[in-house]
Amino acid sequence: MDDAPTTVAQYADLALSMSETEFIGKVTRPVLIEKIGFFGQGHQSPLSGTVVVRDTMEMPRLDDVHLAQAKVFTLRKKPGSMGFEIFVGRAPTNDIILPDPSVSKSHAHFTPVPGTDRIQLVDMFSSNGTFVNGQKIHPFEKHEVGDYDEIRFGPEYLLIYCTPQTFYQMLKSIKP
């Protein structure tokens, strides 16, 4: 989507206006949802207090201001950038820019697994590390990510990974 929404609330409005098939036709790539305080099912991040959502939980309502304003980052290359890796960091040259001092200039990258819909995450020897579900991943080793994985870049910047189908289902469940 060229004019992609940037917050959970904007994506929720989009999801409410279309079927799952239509939504997935527009939102074709996985997303990262910014640190939000609504995920729940007992697995709590020790640094942020954020709790990770899983398949069988009751979702909160979208009227939570923090949830509604949470940023959503689409896993895609910036126009004109080369290669197939999707770079994440605080430098403006990255495909996904996370403006936080605890995030390295070139922190990590996502790599699509050729011929599949799977994605791998690679830490680029960042200063403060990259964590998946609380576990630090080793620099330059590929780590496959899946729906609702909690990805932390450094000690502060927490994101939740979702495929388009799972994102749609989550949005439909939180819309009042």
Side-chain angles (χ1 to χ4, degrees), residues 4-139:
T6 58
T7 66
V8 169
Q10 291 168 325
Y11 273 101
D13 289 341
L14 184 65
L16 188 63
S17 71
M18 55 183 58
S19 71
E20 183 172 347
T21 303
E22 292 170 321
F23 183 86
I24 293 170
K26 285 209 173 271
V27 180
T28 59
R29 301 173 194 273
V31 296
L32 298 171
I33 306 166
E34 191 177 41
K35 174 182 174 179
I36 43 183
F38 79 88
F39 290 101
Q41 191 187 2
H43 172 68
Q44 190 165 10
S45 169
L47 291 178
S48 68
T50 298
V51 182
V52 179
V53 80
R54 295 292 176 211
D55 294 333
T56 58
M57 67 162 285
E58 184 176 323
M59 296 299 289
R61 307 312 277 165
L62 191 58
D63 51 10
D64 177 331
V65 173
H66 297 298
L67 169 58
Q69 295 308 310
K71 290 180 186 167
V72 177
F73 300 94
T74 303
L75 248 50
R76 67 174 171 203
K77 299 290 292 173
K78 281 188 350 190
S81 69
M82 303 298 282
F84 57 90
E85 294 97 353
I86 301 161
F87 291 94
V88 179
R90 73 170 195 272
T93 54
N94 288 291
D95 299 301
I96 297 174
I97 302 166
L98 304 178
D100 188 282
S102 70
V103 175
S104 294
K105 289 179 185 175
S106 295
H107 198 101
H109 67 79
F110 288 91
T111 303
V113 178
T116 73
D117 60 353
R118 298 188 326 259
I119 300 280
Q120 294 174 327
L121 175 63
V122 177
D123 179 86
M124 295 172 49
F125 204 65
S126 62
S127 298
N128 293 314
T130 302
F131 302 78
V132 177
N133 297 326
Q135 299 295 316
K136 185 174 184 175
I137 63 173
H138 297 288

